[in-house]
Amino acid sequence: SAVISQKPSRDICQRGTSLTIQCQVDSQVTMMFWYRQQPGQSLTLIATANQGSEATYESGFVIDKFPISRPNLTFSTLTVSNMSPEDSSIYLCSVAGSEEKLFFGSGTQLSVL
Amino acid sequence: QKEVEQDPGPLSVPEGAIVSLNCTYSNSAFQYFMWYRQYSRKGPELLMYTYSSGNKEDGRFTAQVDKSSKYISLFIRDSQPSDSATYLCAMSAGATNKLIFGTGTLLAVQP
């Protein structure tokens, strides 16, 4: 499985500001995924990031709120824009392995005051 | 109705106990079944993987899939305090890499 490094590991932000989360993979991967994990809820897919094309967003998530970059096959960023307390969550990047398996980074714990 | 249902717990057991964790699902197209373990402040770690029905064993862990009942289980034998974590079930119909996750069961193994 790939080694996935994610940073920051945690942050406390003021409402109205933006935070960019970085995800670095130790091997080239075609697709990277961004998930949100809220307390008591299942992991929710935000978007799929392919290198060289626009990210594909899931229902309920929009590019203006969660812009994603994918400049190469080993790196991606997710920005949480114009944050509100409702954005407080764990954000996870992941990559696909064989046979539908997903491998995750260590996550970013975001608290918005 | 959620596609995947999982009892959130918390589940507290003494060290050495056998633990049974379960998920039910509604989509009969699911073919790939996984269990993830997530320690506090860490990302989910793939623990067990099963394709279609049947059992899979890895050390103290056994995963079972019963597609006729739409029910999957994870058994932990001789549980250890280091097994204390949240366990997430996940499943997919394939071809899309869109895993559907349960909400997770918080397990505490008391020494």
Side-chain angles (χ1 to χ4, degrees):
Chain A
S1 63
V3 175
I4 305 168
S5 302
Q6 193 174 331
K7 59 180 180 181
S9 58
R10 50 179 36 219
D11 207 341
I12 300 172
C13 300
Q14 298 296 321
R15 71 169 65 213
T17 63
S18 298
L19 175 72
T20 296
I21 303 167
Q22 299 180 5
C23 183
Q24 179 77 52
V25 187
D26 70 342
S27 58
Q28 294 184 340
V29 293
T30 304
M31 290 193 291
M32 295 177 73
F33 306 90
W34 288 97
Y35 279 83
R36 183 172 72 183
Q37 186 177 30
Q38 295 181 308
Q41 298 187 26
S42 55
L43 271 74
T44 303
L45 180 63
I46 297 172
T48 301
N50 292 318
Q51 193 269 334
S53 63
E54 292 278 341
T56 302
Y57 290 82
E58 297 299 305
S59 176
F61 297 97
V62 294
I63 187 171
D64 289 346
K65 177 67 176 177
F66 298 100
I68 287 171
S69 78
R70 183 77 201 275
N72 57 53
L73 290 173
T74 64
F75 187 79
S76 179
T77 67
L78 170 75
T79 298
V80 186
S81 302
N82 188 24
M83 288 184 285
S84 66
E86 292 71 33
D87 295 319
S88 297
S89 185
I90 298 173
Y91 292 85
L92 295 155
C93 72
S94 69
V95 301
S98 61
E99 299 172 304
E100 308 297 307
K101 299 170 187 173
L102 279 181
F103 300 98
F104 289 89
S106 54
T108 297
Q109 175 75 61
L110 171 62
S111 297
V112 183
L113 304 179
Chain B
Q1 182 188 7
K2 291 181 179 179
E3 276 192 288
V4 178
E5 300 274 2
Q6 183 175 10
D7 186 336
L11 180 62
S12 182
V13 301
E15 183 175 354
I18 296 174
V19 176
S20 173
L21 304 168
N22 311 295
C23 287
T24 59
Y25 62 94
S26 57
N27 187 346
S28 59
F30 286 148
Q31 293 278 3
Y32 301 86
F33 303 92
M34 286 158 243
W35 286 94
Y36 285 82
R37 177 175 62 194
Q38 185 174 21
Y39 291 114
S40 179
R41 299 181 182 178
K42 298 290 185 183
E45 167 196 12
L46 182 61
L47 187 62
M48 297 291 285
Y49 165 86
T50 307
Y51 173 72
S52 193
S53 284
N55 294 359
K56 184 169 184 179
E57 187 173 322
D58 184 0
R60 296 184 294 112
F61 299 90
T62 299
Q64 287 187 351
V65 174
D66 182 349
K67 293 187 70 180
S68 62
S69 302
K70 297 189 180 69
Y71 188 88
I72 70 170
S73 300
L74 177 70
F75 297 96
I76 307 174
R77 292 183 299 280
D78 186 25
S79 56
Q80 302 296 308
S82 58
D83 295 327
S84 298
T86 297
Y87 290 81
L88 304 159
C89 64
M91 47 200 82
S92 167
T96 65
N97 287 123
K98 289 189 180 179
L99 278 182
I100 308 299
F101 288 84
T103 53
T105 300
L106 179 61
L107 171 67
V109 181
Q110 307 298 333

